[in-house]
Amino acid sequence: MFCNQCEQTARSLACTSTGTCGKPAQVSALHDLLTYVLKGLALVVKKADSVAGQSGRSLVPSDTHPFLAKTLFATLTNVNFDPQAIAAWIHEAVERRDCLKTELSALAPEIEFSEAPLTFSPAHDLGTLTLQARAHTLKKEASPDEDIRSLQHTVLYGLRGLAAYAFHAAELGYRDPEIDDYLVETLCDLAHYERGDLGVWVGKALRLGEMNYKTMELLDRAHRDTFGSPRPTEVPLGVKPGKCILVTGHDLLALHRLLEQTEGKGITVYTHGEMLPAHAYPRLKAYSHLYGNYGSAWQEQKREFERFPGAILVTTNCLQEPRDSYLGNIFTTAAVGWPGVTHLADHDFTAVIERALALPGFSEEVPGKTVTVGFMHETVLSQADRIIDLVKQGRIRHFLLVGGCDGAKPGRDYYTRLVEQSPADTVILTLACGKYRFFDRDLGSIDGIPRLLDVGQCNDAYSAVRIALALADAFQVGVNDLPLHLVLSWYEQKAVAILLTLLYLGVKNIRLGPTLPAFLTPAVAQYLVDNYALRPISTPEEDLAAILA
Ligand code: SF4
Ligand code: SF3
């Protein structure tokens, strides 16, 4: 086993026996094999596209790209641990590949299918399939040059993150042919890992950042068109008596379908983790049984799920191994899976609802604080004139974007301390699950503008970028000349995609923690330091002093 794609990789090098995330070696091997056969599917899609270009008829079924997106998403950290589910996708990818090969051969017999991922034949039993997988690990299917391999893995991990956004957008009916083509193109590039020098792969990493920006923009549009533009909304953190369902993850459509199916059933729906910003969307908050937020970030789930007296629906990352105490209460959907946990397809949530009705629910009201969510780009930019005036008057001196993933490492309290120590003339924009470290702090406001603005999920990083670019425009300066500093925390591969987007946009001086990615070799990391002044976090005191200087 070799996996180094996330921040909690063993010894900050790689997980080589079992994942710190709980991913067994077999599942890791199957993730790698799935990636390999997806490259094979992409290679034949590319050939089919070139023939279609000549004949004017597309041979590629329209659900191919969403399939690529969903299955790449399944290999992201803490998404799918179910060997049977992954094996089924490996077989489906090969079936799709072979159907397309047959059609293509009939139309253009001169086309050759000699590249290795185009001829690979998967075994039907799981044991042999796992043995086959060992020949196609991510390390073997990449350049022998460690710096080029580092960039190829950066592109692959970024692609997994981008695929998550593309999957959510496609579910809502939003596709962009450029993004679909990009998924195929990049998988083909990764299949031809022997091609291209260091400079070429740096270019591909930045191209990923560009396409991730477009994908996040598409998802932002899909969310706003489908659920309405987010508005500041107060969310209770307490609970009320009654039957209940907890929904975690990022998938707003799954939440919407659950709200439709639970309407009038006497069940209260709570959000957890990255689902918190859902409360800001008018067409979601219109459901009166969507009540509040329970718990915090993903790494606290075992304790929080154990105490929750209802059913739990996991719509995306980050899933941890369920404890026996709530194994019967938890359900997965879409790309998520855990062996032994009931998986619900096609947004049919009957089983979750039945389980919620069978469980006791909360017996009494527990009052709690409230937090305000919904400061996505439209809301913040509707206040742009006031914000600009406050900056000109010197009442807002700094903007800090303190956002990104949460995780289990003790060093992550850096972010809490940074926020707590930031001066009163600082506005803090935050997003993603890392905000749970400080999301309920009362930081006050500056002339009615709250000092802590929740921009949403990691999926809403587009909003933060839009806000930064609009402020730069208003002050007629470059984004690096704004009194804005980015202090980011990363854990999984959506954060990798977002980081590449920021680099593509030319954003410099980003502080990244708790550690730099293990998949960056010293030479690649140095390239980022030299060209983007990317640096690891140090201490809140030191970093704040440097930022505010
Ligand atoms: Fe290790 Fe992270 Fe890979 Fe899990 S996803 S096996 S923790 S590197
Ligand atoms: Fe969090 Fe898993 Fe990344 Fe969406 S839920 S930010 S870590």
Side-chain angles (χ1 to χ4, degrees):
M1 165 174 182
F2 177 87
C3 184
N4 65 356
Q5 69 173 346
C6 85
E7 177 269 334
Q8 67 176 0
T9 194
R11 295 159 284 121
S12 291
L13 289 171
C15 295
T16 50
S17 50
T18 192
T20 314
C21 60
K23 183 164 79 173
Q26 181 190 40
V27 174
S28 182
L30 293 172
H31 279 175
D32 290 359
L33 187 58
L34 177 57
T35 307
Y36 180 68
V37 295
L38 292 178
K39 289 178 194 172
L41 175 57
L43 286 168
V44 76
V45 167
K46 193 171 174 190
K47 289 178 198 285
D49 281 344
S50 65
V51 170
Q54 292 155 21
S55 71
R57 181 173 78 86
S58 177
L59 293 177
V60 181
S62 67
D63 63 353
T64 305
H65 305 89
F67 173 77
L68 291 174
K70 179 176 177 176
T71 46
L72 281 167
F73 184 14
T75 63
L76 198 111
T77 300
N78 286 349
V79 174
N80 202 302
F81 299 82
D82 185 351
Q84 299 290 354
I86 301 157
W89 283 322
I90 290 169
H91 284 282
E92 184 177 344
V94 169
E95 273 161 32
R96 285 173 178 267
R97 180 199 73 186
D98 289 348
C99 281
L100 210 43
K101 271 167 70 175
T102 308
E103 277 201 61
L104 200 47
S105 296
L107 208 66
E110 70 284 2
I111 289 187
E112 289 182 5
F113 301 104
S114 53
E115 292 136 301
L118 287 173
T119 54
F120 174 78
S121 176
H124 281 280
D125 74 285
L126 203 53
T128 316
L129 193 69
T130 309
L131 287 177
Q132 285 181 310
R134 299 210 168 119
H136 301 288
T137 61
L138 294 193
K139 215 167 174 180
K140 287 182 182 151
E141 295 295 334
S143 170
D145 179 295
E146 65 168 14
D147 293 323
I148 296 178
R149 186 167 69 236
S150 165
L151 287 164
Q152 290 173 342
H153 284 166
T154 304
V155 169
L156 173 63
Y157 301 156
L159 189 69
R160 290 174 172 177
L162 178 152
Y165 299 135
F167 166 75
H168 289 305
E171 263 198 313
L172 293 166
Y174 284 70
R175 303 257 304 264
D176 175 344
E178 196 186 356
I179 295 166
D180 284 351
D181 289 347
Y182 177 74
L183 283 172
V184 171
E185 188 71 45
T186 309
L187 284 165
C188 292
D189 286 347
L190 291 165
H192 293 299
Y193 54 82
E194 70 290 350
R195 297 181 189 166
D197 59 13
L198 211 59
V200 165
W201 283 96
V202 167
K204 289 187 191 302
L206 293 174
R207 169 89 175 132
L208 192 130
E210 178 185 6
M211 290 309 296
N212 185 56
Y213 186 58
K214 292 192 174 171
T215 312
M216 289 196 300
E217 182 181 23
L218 182 72
L219 180 59
D220 177 79
R221 187 148 40 87
H223 280 160
R224 284 184 294 113
D225 289 356
T226 312
F227 305 116
S229 288
R231 291 282 172 260
T233 304
E234 227 177 302
V235 183
L237 301 180
V239 302
K240 58 183 187 180
K243 307 282 182 185
C244 49
I245 295 178
L246 190 60
V247 188
T248 192
H250 306 71
D251 193 329
L252 298 185
L253 180 62
L255 174 65
H256 189 214
R257 294 282 176 262
L258 180 79
L259 289 168
E260 286 172 336
Q261 292 169 38
T262 44
E263 202 167 17
K265 292 203 159 59
I267 296 172
T268 303
V269 175
Y270 296 85
T271 55
H272 175 271
E274 279 281 71
M275 202 55 88
L276 165 62
H279 291 272
Y281 289 87
R283 273 171 223 130
L284 296 175
K285 70 179 175 186
Y287 291 90
S288 59
H289 62 298
L290 174 64
Y291 175 64
N293 190 73
Y294 179 90
S296 54
W298 67 271
Q299 76 279 0
E300 304 294 339
Q301 69 187 250
K302 292 190 184 188
R303 194 172 46 82
E304 292 168 354
F305 290 179
E306 190 158 52
R307 288 182 191 162
F308 189 75
I312 301 155
L313 178 65
V314 184
T315 65
T316 67
N317 57 312
C318 281
L319 173 65
Q320 293 182 296
E321 180 177 10
R323 286 185 179 157
D324 288 347
S325 54
Y326 59 85
L327 194 60
N329 302 345
I330 190 167
F331 299 82
T332 59
T333 188
V336 193
W338 190 282
V341 170
T342 307
H343 184 83
L344 304 173
D346 304 323
H347 291 135
D348 177 354
F349 296 129
T350 312
V352 189
I353 295 167
E354 283 171 356
R355 188 66 192 145
L357 292 172
L359 286 164
F362 288 107
S363 56
E364 58 184 31
E365 179 164 350
V366 180
K369 286 184 179 179
T370 60
V371 291
T372 304
V373 298
F375 293 98
M376 281 76 157
H377 60 91
E378 282 178 337
T379 300
V380 175
L381 295 178
S382 70
Q383 299 293 321
D385 290 345
R386 268 175 76 207
I387 293 172
I388 290 162
D389 277 349
L390 290 169
V391 173
K392 286 183 177 159
Q393 292 163 25
R395 296 180 63 195
I396 297 178
R397 282 194 196 279
H398 295 277
F399 295 92
L400 286 179
L401 174 60
V402 187
C405 306
D406 209 341
K409 279 204 181 148
R412 286 181 179 268
D413 65 345
Y414 163 95
Y415 298 95
T416 320
R417 292 191 287 130
L418 184 90
V419 167
E420 284 173 351
Q421 291 173 28
S422 63
D425 54 8
T426 310
V427 169
I428 292 158
L429 300 159
T430 191
L431 54 85
C433 63
K435 66 169 163 268
Y436 277 105
R437 303 251 160 194
F438 47 80
F439 81 131
D440 55 352
R441 300 285 194 283
D442 181 7
L443 299 186
S445 59
I446 303 174
D447 201 23
I449 305 285
R451 283 194 55 225
L452 183 62
L453 299 172
D454 183 349
V455 183
Q457 302 178 330
C458 60
N459 294 14
D460 298 304
Y462 172 75
S463 252
V465 171
R466 276 288 304 273
I467 292 167
L469 295 179
L471 287 176
D473 232 28
F475 287 107
Q476 296 186 318
V477 295
V479 73
N480 292 313
D481 301 315
L482 282 173
L484 166 72
H485 290 267
L486 278 69
V487 189
L488 306 181
S489 53
W490 84 286
Y491 171 63
E492 35 75 357
Q493 298 74 53
K494 287 189 252 182
V496 176
I498 293 166
L499 181 66
L500 292 174
T501 294
L502 294 170
L503 299 183
Y504 154 73
L505 292 169
V507 178
K508 294 191 172 171
N509 299 308
I510 297 170
R511 284 176 168 77
L512 184 65
T515 50
L516 292 187
F519 54 81
L520 299 179
T521 56
V524 174
Q526 193 57 46
Y527 175 86
L528 297 177
V529 171
D530 293 344
N531 290 278
Y532 297 95
L534 180 83
R535 64 192 87 187
I537 55 169
S538 61
T539 63
E541 294 76 14
E542 231 177 82
D543 285 349
L544 268 179
I547 286 168
L548 304 175

